[in-house]
Each structure stands twice: as C-alpha cells, then as structure tokens.
Amino acid sequence: MEKIVVTGMGVVSPVGTGVPDYWPALCAGRSGIRAFEGLDDRFPSRIAGMITAPVVPEGMDPKELRRQSRYILFAVEAANQAWKQSGLSLEGRDPQRFGVNIGSGIGDIGEIHDNALLLERSGPRRVSPFFIPKALANMAAGIVAIRFGLRGPNRALVTACATGAQSLASAADSIRLGQADVMLAGGAEAAATPFSLASFGALRALSTRNEEPERASRPFDADRDGFVLAEGAGVLVLESESHARARGAEILAELAGYGETCDAFHAVAPRPDGSGCAASMRAALAMAGIAPEQVGYINAHGTSTKLNDIAESAAILSVFGPAGPLVSSTKSMTGHLLGAAGAVEAIACVQTLLTGVIHPSINYENPDIECPINIVSNTAREANIAFALSNSLGFGGHNASLVFKRHG
C-alpha cells in the first residue's frame, strides 16, 4: 500500500502564526487565551483564543480580502505556508492530481449572525451578496483550490471537533485510492464570536474562569470547569511517498494510520467508558501495523471538560494500560479551535517527531484521580519518539485518531 507522507505544514493559531512561531510557543508553555473585549457579565464565559494580528495571505489584494470571511483567510494563510514549505509547483504537472480537503465545524458563524441582524433591522436588500460564499463551510476548500489551481478531489468535511483529523484521513484515502498524488488537508474555524460564546455558554461547556484567562484551559486537572473557545487553521500537504521522492521533497513524517468511529450515544456527550475513542485508536494502530507500546506520545483531544477528559482517559487506559505513553493537550494553550483543532494538533505531533520534544499541558496542578494517565505537566520534555498519536472527538459522537511515524 502506498505510504502517505507530510511534506508541508501551515498554521494560524492563538499562540502563533506559522510553525516557526507556533511550535516554540507550545514548548514554552505560553497561553494564547485572553479576555474577549466588549462582553458584559451576561456572558458566562468572556475569554477566548483569538488571532489578534491581521491575517493577510500573501498575494491577496484588498478587493479579494473584503470578499473573504475570516475562517477562509485563516485557511488560505495556512495553505500558503504549507505549500511553500513543500516546495511544490504545478509547472509541468496535471492539476487534477492535486486536491484539497479542508473542513470547518461551523463555517463563518459571524457572517451568519451579522447578516441575520441586517435582515431584521434593515430588510432583505441589506443582506450582503457575499454572505453565502463567505459563510458556507465548504468555501475554504473551494477558495484554496482556486488560488492554487488545484483541480483534483475537493471536499470539506463537517464533523464538529473531529473535522481537522477526519479531513486528513479522508485526504489520505484520496491518495491511496489513486484519485490524487497530493492533497492539501486540514481545518479552519473562526467561531470565537459573541454569538458562539453565548451558544456554547448555554450548553455550559465553556470555562468561566474569566479573571484568569491564561489559567482557564486546564485539561485533565481536577479544577477544570470547561473548554475555551478559540479560532485558527491548520493545513498539511499530504503526498504519496513515491511522488514526494520523485521530486526530491523533504519528508517531514509519515501518516501511518488512522481510525474513525462513532459513539452512537449522545449529541454532545462522549460515551462515558471511552469505548468509541478506544476503538478509533485501535483502528489507527492496526492500519499503522504497530503495537500500543510502540506509541511514545499521545496528543490528547483534552478539552478541559470533565466528561471528555474522563472518557478519553478511560480510552487511553483501555488501549495502552497504566504505563502508557506520555500525554499532553495543545488546547491547554491554544484553547479549542473546533474544526481546526485536529489539524493544528497533528502539526504538533509532527513537530514532536522532528524535534524530539513533547510540549506540555499547562495549568496541570491538581491531578484528577479519574484521569490516571501520564501527563507531561507544565514543562516540555525531551523524548525519542518513533510514533505519535493524535485524538479528536466531536459533538455527534465522532472519534478520529491519527498515527504519525518519524521519517527515516
């Protein structure tokens, strides 16, 4: 079976834009969670992981910038970075062998909210003609394809917080099925808005540690009180190994296996015994052809909600046992990027394999006895890792696990 390799990565995150900024911030344990300005105390959660600097993708003129929504700009910027690192060019190549699979949990909820208000206040003629192409969840994939001229398979998965990981798995399938040689894949999200904070707040899913935003996201800590909403994008260039070698590309890692399952249990709660997540991890290990003890690191979904953390811990214990791999959660610093999370965290796994460093889970101060797993707490750790696994779990019961293998 053709191997799938990673040859480029791009990221827009609350702790840094571009892997050279993102990765050192994670290893230093730097939080990107801040107060969300302008919200009053009717909002139970008034903190978020925001992209504070303007995101202006290279080559995009002011007119086009105005016609793109925030989440699409994040996707294009991340895709630009990944494409540039990969060294790819379409010159002399068939563009139908290049595809895109970039999903989003919601699309642009800010555009939906703003245009609904315009309709209510000023009538239908005030709704923007650009509203629909800005808001649709498939448009990041479409716009990235347009900008790069990629005419192969083009998809946009919507599986809540599993979107980014499942987009990578689906893109790998496209390559293995012979539909493409190269896929740009990942997720993008711009849901850190007042409307979303009110909506997720109504579910009581968010942290209300408003006075200590940098300490709010604390996965697997006994004092956690919910996740922190965040925004950003992650895009990876996936490529068949033969194609990458033929053009002399630098191979960063191999996507060796992936598993996908559904809890079939509850709309917004994981199956408490973690069996769905466990089955997803076992499927990923089986595809990679490795035993559990060969995995040196797990980038946990680790949202900082009690139900998720306990269920994922149970899953990790059932697959790997009490002496299982080292575990950390990127969300402790970035917050939860929803549909982009799986891709952004996949990049952290690849960086772990490349650098031999595991970034920490910050704010891990009071271990939860219901989560007896091996957390890398508060300080990065050096480790010689051959395989890293990333978990993503989404509302609706979606479970996705990716196994990355160190190259060489």
Side-chain angles (χ1 to χ4, degrees), residues 133-215:
K134 280 184 167 182
L136 291 176
N138 67 305
M139 290 307 290
I143 297 299
V144 167
I146 290 168
R147 287 191 62 78
F148 289 91
L150 311 182
R151 300 177 64 182
N154 193 291
R155 303 188 186 94
L157 297 185
V158 180
T159 53
C161 308
T163 296
Q166 291 199 288
S167 295
L168 290 164
S170 177
D173 283 343
S174 293
I175 297 171
R176 286 202 161 112
L177 289 170
Q179 299 169 341
D181 299 315
V182 177
M183 295 290 294
L184 271 64
E189 201 76 71
T193 71
F195 188 34
S196 292
L197 284 164
S199 301
F200 282 101
L203 282 174
R204 299 184 179 181
L206 300 179
S207 171
T208 59
R209 200 181 293 261
N210 298 306
E211 306 309 315
E212 300 177 297
E214 294 182 353
R215 300 184 66 219

Side-chain angles (χ1 to χ4, degrees), residues 238-279:
L238 300 183
E239 192 168 353
S240 68
E241 184 185 38
S242 58
H243 190 271
R245 288 193 183 281
R247 68 183 185 89
E250 179 185 1
I251 295 174
L252 306 176
E254 177 187 342
L255 176 54
Y258 37 91
E260 301 168 277
T261 65
C262 184
D263 280 353
F265 172 71
H266 190 277
V268 297
R271 192 174 282 276
D273 64 3
S275 56
C277 177

Side-chain angles (χ1 to χ4, degrees), residues 263-351:
D263 280 353
F265 172 71
H266 190 277
V268 297
R271 192 174 282 276
D273 64 3
S275 56
C277 177
S280 176
M281 288 190 284
R282 289 192 179 99
L285 296 176
M287 179 182 279
I290 61 172
E293 55 268 26
Q294 291 178 266
V295 174
Y297 168 61
I298 295 176
N299 187 297
H301 188 59
T303 56
S304 187
T305 63
K306 187 170 184 177
L307 291 178
N308 180 91
D309 288 357
I310 292 174
E312 189 176 12
S313 296
I316 292 171
L317 282 171
S318 72
V319 175
F320 297 95
L326 297 167
V327 179
S328 66
S329 170
T330 306
K331 295 181 183 72
S332 65
M333 291 168 276
T334 61
H336 193 347
L337 281 70
L338 307 183
V344 168
E345 292 158 15
I347 291 171
C349 283
V350 174
Q351 282 297 114

Side-chain angles (χ1 to χ4, degrees), residues 5-88:
V5 297
V6 179
T7 57
M9 302 189 292
V11 61
V12 178
S13 86
V15 300
T17 291
V19 175
D21 289 338
Y22 167 71
W23 181 242
L26 292 184
C27 292
R30 194 178 307 145
S31 174
I33 310 304
R34 303 287 183 270
F36 195 108
E37 301 295 335
L39 300 185
D40 59 35
D41 59 12
R42 291 176 298 172
F43 288 80
S45 180
R46 302 186 293 280
I47 53 178
M50 301 290 294
I51 310 301
T52 54
V55 174
V56 182
E58 184 179 340
M60 187 173 282
D61 63 38
K63 182 179 179 181
E64 189 177 2
L65 272 175
R66 288 193 297 273
R67 292 182 173 182
Q68 303 302 345
S69 65
R70 188 170 176 81
Y71 99 98
I72 294 174
L73 291 177
F74 293 163
V76 172
E77 170 60 27
N80 276 348
Q81 296 170 24
W83 182 265
K84 188 173 183 179
Q85 183 180 21
S86 73
L88 281 164

